Amino acid sequence: MEELFPGFYDRTEEELSMLWQEATLVLDTNMLLNVYRYREKTSERFWEILEQLQERIWIPHQAMYEYQNNRLDVIGQQLKVYSEVSKAIKSAQTTLEVLEYLKERHRFIKIDEIIEDPKRVLAEANKKLSEGLQKGRQEFESLKASDIYRERITHLFHGRIGEPYKRVQLLDIYCQADKRFEMQIPPGWKDKSKKTYGKYGDVILWFQLLDYARIRKKPILFITDDVKSDWFLSAQEGNGKPYPRPELVQEMYEEAGVLLHIYPGYEFLEQASKFLSLTREPSISEDAKEVSDINSEGGLIEKIGKGLLASVTGYKVLTTLVDLLKKNYLGSELVYGHLTQDGWPLDLVMIEADGAKTAIELLPVIGDEGDLKIIMERIQDLSEVTEPIKFKMIIPADNIPHASKIYAMLRNKIRADERFSFVVAYLDSYGNYREYRTIP
């Protein structure tokens, strides 16, 4: 039964081991474009993996075409982020300045003291952004003239790119794709609303991958950061993490007679590092996961405004809590940027006189359906910390109504072990730290 319907069963340890030993590694467009998004350390790990596995990598012609077509746009988007963040920071600065009117109406509230630190931090951030934008523009012009990343990709994939379809073949595939869209047969139907023939990109790529597998008769590991529901089941459907759609695994088996497994980019980096016995770097995993999340959310720019303002709220809540901890725990030490024995960075750790450690982690939310996912992923990361540390997770709110809304949204939905506690907190009208409720 399992041999006939591999799409409907989880991959066993034996199957995954076989895939890593024998499968062809096929990369989607977004994985090549991620080299412009990853931090330097993550990019170097990505190149290191591809170089060690070069004899087994391959890419469909459609994926490489989309890389060439979108490369400059993605580089340009990285520059646009600077200006969008700058706008959001200026908006936050304006909000703080507006608060100064309270000085005239509430003489007992020390407004200057409350907003002094956030104003200073935002001003410094704007200065760094200006410097970063100038540097980014220089790098962009340099990449346009001589793209070192494209040169590495050209070298790695020399002789490892699939053939393109002829025009007549493409016209037939467009018709097939439209029928698949109507029946919601994956992949590609999530792109059916696009106005140009670009909506057929995933179907063309998929057909090229099927053609390759029919000829080579080798199992396939496909790596993509396109985690829409026409490639992956949701985390809820996939037992806590994205899982390849059963229809895709099944179609690959029925059409080509080989096993298919699909990894999001961050999971590929983790599993490939393990397979190649490379040093585990939590910062690389976190960066790759963040980029995968940004890709799945449709881009970073749309998230910046809300996210930054949520962070400003969180900053105010956290700094007030720190002042409170200093008063209430006189014999304790507060350590910012604490690095655990496992190499995990923590925002703030309170070390009490008896050596007991409590990490104070800030979880700013922006009020959409992605908040719970972000919180659960952070819990999953911190659960790997073996050091005896308790975690107090602070979810900041603007005021009581906002705190009530966050509490209702997250109540009874967070799953974590006894080391974790979750508190929705806000500042009252006098600037005092208040805990609204502990989330069960």
Side-chain angles (χ1 to χ4, degrees):
M1 179 73 80
E2 294 181 18
E3 293 179 358
L4 293 174
F5 301 97
F8 299 93
Y9 293 88
D10 291 342
R11 300 282 68 81
T12 64
E13 289 297 323
E14 291 78 11
E15 287 174 326
L16 289 173
S17 176
M18 178 276 294
L19 285 165
W20 278 103
Q21 294 289 341
E22 303 176 15
T24 300
L25 279 63
V26 180
L27 276 73
D28 197 1
T29 304
N30 44 55
M31 293 307 301
L32 300 185
L33 293 174
N34 278 350
V35 298
Y36 303 99
R37 302 174 176 126
Y38 286 147
R39 293 174 183 168
E40 184 176 356
K41 199 171 186 180
T42 310
S43 288
E44 285 307 314
R45 173 58 58 88
F46 180 68
W47 295 124
E48 183 179 12
I49 289 169
L50 293 191
E51 285 165 359
Q52 291 200 36
L53 297 173
Q54 185 176 7
E55 295 302 314
R56 294 171 52 196
I57 62 175
W58 182 79
I59 190 165
H61 183 275
Q62 179 66 23
M64 189 60 78
Y65 167 78
E66 291 180 6
Y67 162 75
Q68 299 283 11
N69 194 44
N70 296 319
R71 179 180 64 91
L72 291 179
D73 286 343
V74 171
I75 297 171
Q77 286 170 12
Q78 307 313 301
L79 285 179
K80 190 176 180 182
V81 168
Y82 283 108
S83 60
E84 293 298 323
V85 172
S86 182
K87 287 179 187 176
I89 287 177
K90 287 175 181 175
S91 174
Q93 287 174 315
T94 301
T95 301
L96 292 174
E97 288 167 3
V98 169
L99 291 177
E100 291 188 355
Y101 86 98
L102 289 173
K103 287 192 297 186
E104 307 300 325
R105 300 180 58 187
H106 299 277
R107 63 190 181 89
F108 297 110
I109 303 176
K110 298 179 180 179
I111 296 298
D112 289 342
E113 293 182 10
I114 294 172
I115 67 176
E116 180 182 356
D117 285 346
K119 284 178 68 176
R120 176 178 51 77
V121 169
L122 289 171
E124 290 174 0
N126 235 343
K127 181 181 177 183
K128 289 181 179 179
L129 276 169
S130 297
E131 295 170 354
L133 180 57
Q134 184 177 358
K135 181 181 178 183
R137 282 179 179 150
Q138 292 172 349
E139 291 178 353
F140 176 60
E141 294 301 322
S142 175
L143 284 173
K144 282 200 297 183
S146 177
D147 189 340
I148 57 173
Y149 301 126
R150 184 164 65 168
E151 290 173 6
R152 293 186 79 166
I153 288 169
T154 299
H155 171 72
L156 279 167
F157 286 93
H158 179 70
R160 301 180 183 281
I161 305 172
E163 293 294 323
Y165 286 134
K166 305 296 184 186
R167 181 63 58 184
V168 174
Q169 291 174 292
L170 285 174
L171 293 174
D172 178 58
I173 289 171
Y174 296 161
C175 293
Q176 292 186 57
D178 286 332
K179 292 178 182 177
R180 291 174 73 105
F181 292 165
E182 289 177 15
M183 302 173 70
Q184 293 195 356
I185 298 174
W189 62 266
K190 292 291 287 185
D191 294 328
K192 66 180 180 180
S193 60
K194 292 181 179 178
K195 302 299 182 184
T196 68
Y197 66 88
K199 67 182 179 181
Y200 300 120
D202 280 1
V203 176
I204 296 171
L205 181 150
W206 177 243
F207 281 10
Q208 289 176 345
L209 184 54
L210 287 173
D211 289 344
Y212 177 84
R214 289 188 189 101
I215 295 169
R216 297 290 178 170
K217 293 298 180 185
K218 282 189 174 183
I220 300 288
L221 278 178
F222 182 56
I223 301 102
T224 179
D225 260 351
D226 185 349
V227 294
K228 296 194 298 294
S229 58
D230 57 346
W231 282 105
F232 288 91
L233 297 177
S234 68
Q236 289 75 18
E237 296 172 299
N239 295 323
K241 62 182 180 179
Y243 193 82
R245 288 210 68 90
E247 302 97 317
L248 297 174
V249 179
Q250 200 62 29
E251 185 174 5
M252 178 63 73
Y253 174 75
E254 293 171 0
E255 293 292 326
V258 303
L259 187 61
L260 166 75
H261 191 60
I262 308 177
Y263 282 123
Y266 72 93
E267 191 173 359
F268 166 70
L269 289 180
E270 289 180 358
Q271 296 302 324
S273 297
K274 187 188 219 177
F275 173 69
L276 296 170
S277 300
L278 303 178
T279 304
R280 187 171 183 274
E281 299 275 0
S283 61
I284 291 177
S285 298
E286 288 183 359
D287 179 41
K289 184 70 171 67
E290 183 178 337
V291 170
S292 292
D293 288 343
I294 289 169
N295 288 336
S296 68
E297 291 163 358
L300 175 62
I301 292 172
E302 296 83 351
K303 301 288 179 180
I304 288 175
K306 287 183 179 178
L308 185 68
L309 292 176
S311 296
V312 171
T313 298
Y315 174 85
K316 291 188 287 186
V317 169
L318 182 61
T319 52
T320 310
L321 172 59
V322 167
D323 290 340
L324 187 65
L325 292 174
K326 288 178 180 177
K327 292 178 183 177
N328 294 346
Y329 296 87
L330 296 178
S332 299
E333 178 186 5
L334 295 175
V335 180
Y336 291 90
H338 176 80
L339 199 65
T340 70
Q341 296 169 0
D342 311 283
W344 290 97
L346 302 176
D347 294 341
L348 174 68
V349 172
M350 181 176 72
I351 305 175
E352 298 183 51
D354 61 359
K357 297 178 182 177
T358 302
I360 312 294
E361 285 282 302
L362 200 62
L363 294 173
V365 299
I366 61 177
D368 66 17
E369 60 184 13
D371 289 336
L372 180 61
K373 177 184 174 184
I374 292 170
I375 291 172
M376 292 307 299
E377 286 169 353
R378 186 57 176 157
I379 294 170
Q380 186 176 353
D381 288 343
L382 295 176
S383 295
E384 296 188 21
V385 174
T386 58
E387 197 173 334
I389 298 178
K390 292 183 178 180
F391 298 95
K392 182 167 184 173
M393 317 298 280
I394 306 295
I395 303 172
D398 296 327
N399 46 43
I400 292 178
H402 188 211
S404 176
K405 180 181 177 182
I406 293 173
Y407 177 80
M409 180 178 67
L410 299 177
R411 184 182 181 187
N412 295 323
K413 293 181 181 177
I414 298 177
R415 299 288 180 266
D417 62 41
E418 64 278 359
R419 291 190 297 167
F420 292 84
S421 62
F422 301 86
V423 175
V424 181
Y426 66 98
L427 300 184
D428 64 20
S429 57
Y430 295 98
N432 298 314
Y433 172 85
R434 300 294 184 197
E435 293 188 352
Y436 178 73
R437 284 186 183 177
T438 298
I439 298 177

